[in-house]
Amino acid sequence: MKIGVLTLQGDFDEHITVLEKIGVNPVKVRLPEHIHELDGLIIPGGESTTIGKLAQEYGLIQPIRQFGQEKAIWGTCAGAILLSRDANRSQPLLELMDITVERNAFGRQSASFEIHLDIPALEEVDPKNRPYPAIFIRAPLIKSVEDNVEILARLPDGSIVAARQGRLLASAFHPELTDDDRFHRYFLKLAGSQSE
Ligand code: GLN
């Protein structure tokens, strides 16, 4: 399976390390021609405005939009913002997922934190249901989702922090920063599934 990681800005190296650990040799995506023949693309955490502007400059917005019509894309943190339809401010977005997000939704005190979340969908890759260590760094929240979006994870207060729409996946937290590779394996499964 061919998985790409968008390597414009942010913590793409950490995604690459996890992918290599689980037997995938990822393609670094910087230009439109790097997207051809991929089965899935990961958009890392970082600074969504910067990644969006660079993607525009490199002519990647339309090719990624088109790719996302059929193939799997996973956005973590800033990547989830880029996938959203609306971030309540003017910045380049892919507008692929029917979700709205609020950037930097956590106050200064709790700008970064780790919490164990119950994510039942991960049982698809590991039947042992155990809490998932979710790391939030100046993270967004998913404020609303349309009916076609499945909510995968919530904080204890009910806020939505992970969602899936077909083969599009958004997480407000950073699975690439933990030793738990279940989220990456879940994405590989999505990328390898037949289109619905
Ligand atoms: N705060 C960043 C943004 O709004 C996201 C932070 C991250 O990706 N860790 O783009």
Side-chain angles (χ1 to χ4, degrees):
M1 187 145 37
K2 270 198 151 177
I3 303 293
V5 180
L6 193 65
T7 53
L8 297 177
Q9 189 266 338
D11 71 339
F12 47 82
D13 274 335
E14 286 77 358
H15 274 293
I16 290 171
T17 302
V18 181
L19 289 169
E20 285 171 346
K21 215 174 71 186
I22 58 177
V24 175
N25 187 11
V27 175
K28 292 184 180 174
V29 173
R30 258 173 230 246
L31 295 171
E33 55 260 41
H34 299 155
I35 296 176
H36 298 317
E37 294 176 29
L38 292 180
D39 300 300
L41 175 69
I42 294 179
I43 305 176
E47 171 56 46
S48 59
T49 316
T50 308
I51 299 175
K53 284 185 182 158
L54 288 171
Q56 244 174 1
E57 250 172 66
Y58 286 71
L60 279 161
I61 298 277
Q62 278 310 329
I64 296 177
R65 269 191 194 139
Q66 218 167 347
F67 181 83
Q69 301 299 324
E70 285 183 24
K71 303 284 180 66
I73 305 182
W74 174 22
T76 58
C77 204
I81 296 168
L82 284 158
L83 280 177
S84 73
R85 183 134 335 269
D86 188 3
N88 269 317
R89 67 200 294 269
S90 166
Q91 69 181 86
L93 298 175
L94 294 164
E95 297 171 7
L96 278 167
M97 281 185 80
D98 296 323
I99 60 176
T100 64
V101 300
E102 181 188 342
R103 288 180 65 185
N104 303 317
F106 301 92
R108 252 195 205 177
Q109 288 289 332
S110 52
S112 302
F113 59 96
E114 179 171 347
I115 186 171
H116 281 81
L117 299 177
D118 180 36
I119 309 183
L122 296 180
E123 283 175 42
E124 285 183 32
V125 292
D126 188 338
K128 244 188 295 151
N129 183 4
R130 56 188 189 284
Y132 187 85
I135 297 175
F136 291 80
I137 303 170
R138 296 187 312 284
L141 274 181
I142 299 172
K143 294 302 276 186
S144 63
V145 304
E146 299 285 323
D147 289 346
N148 51 340
V149 177
E150 180 191 356
I151 294 169
L152 299 182
R154 292 179 186 268
L155 290 176
D157 71 0
S159 314
I160 304 166
V161 288
R164 180 182 76 90
Q165 177 181 339
R167 284 195 274 184
L168 303 173
L169 184 61
S171 63
F173 47 90
H174 289 271
E176 72 282 15
L177 298 180
T178 70
D179 287 335
D180 194 323
D181 58 22
R182 281 178 292 165
F183 229 97
H184 284 80
R185 287 191 283 125
Y186 178 76
F187 179 65
L188 291 191
K189 198 170 169 201
L190 269 189
S193 63
Q194 297 300 311
S195 44
E196 286 158 20

